[in-house]
Amino acid sequence: MDKLSEIKANLKRGRLPLRDIHWMVTEIENQRTINKEVKQKSRYKNYMDIAKENLALEEALKRTRSQRDYYKNQLNKLGV
């Protein structure tokens, strides 16, 4: 029987020992810590995804400008 099942059984019997309350509080604190870590990782991952997307857009913009300048120079050479 795991700890949570034991606590549920104690509640059905109308008992809740202090050690069970302590375990529940400790478990909640652990879960909060884990949730914070997961949120931070998720934020970092989202930030990195946005940064990669921005980098790709900047590179595409550079290529587009380079092509524009190339064709502009070609037209200037032709005297148009």
Side-chain angles (χ1 to χ4, degrees), residues 22-65:
H22 176 20
W23 180 84
M24 287 189 293
V25 169
T26 304
E27 193 63 27
I28 289 170
E29 289 172 351
N30 289 340
Q31 291 301 318
R32 282 183 181 165
T33 303
I34 290 170
N35 286 344
K36 284 181 185 177
E37 291 172 0
V38 168
K39 285 180 183 178
Q40 287 174 346
K41 288 178 184 176
S42 177
R43 285 185 192 129
Y44 178 75
K45 183 179 177 187
N46 289 340
Y47 172 78
M48 290 305 294
D49 290 343
I50 291 169
K52 287 178 185 176
E53 184 179 345
N54 285 345
L55 182 61
L57 289 172
E58 286 178 12
E59 289 174 353
L61 182 62
K62 283 180 185 178
R63 284 192 303 272
T64 304
R65 285 180 177 160

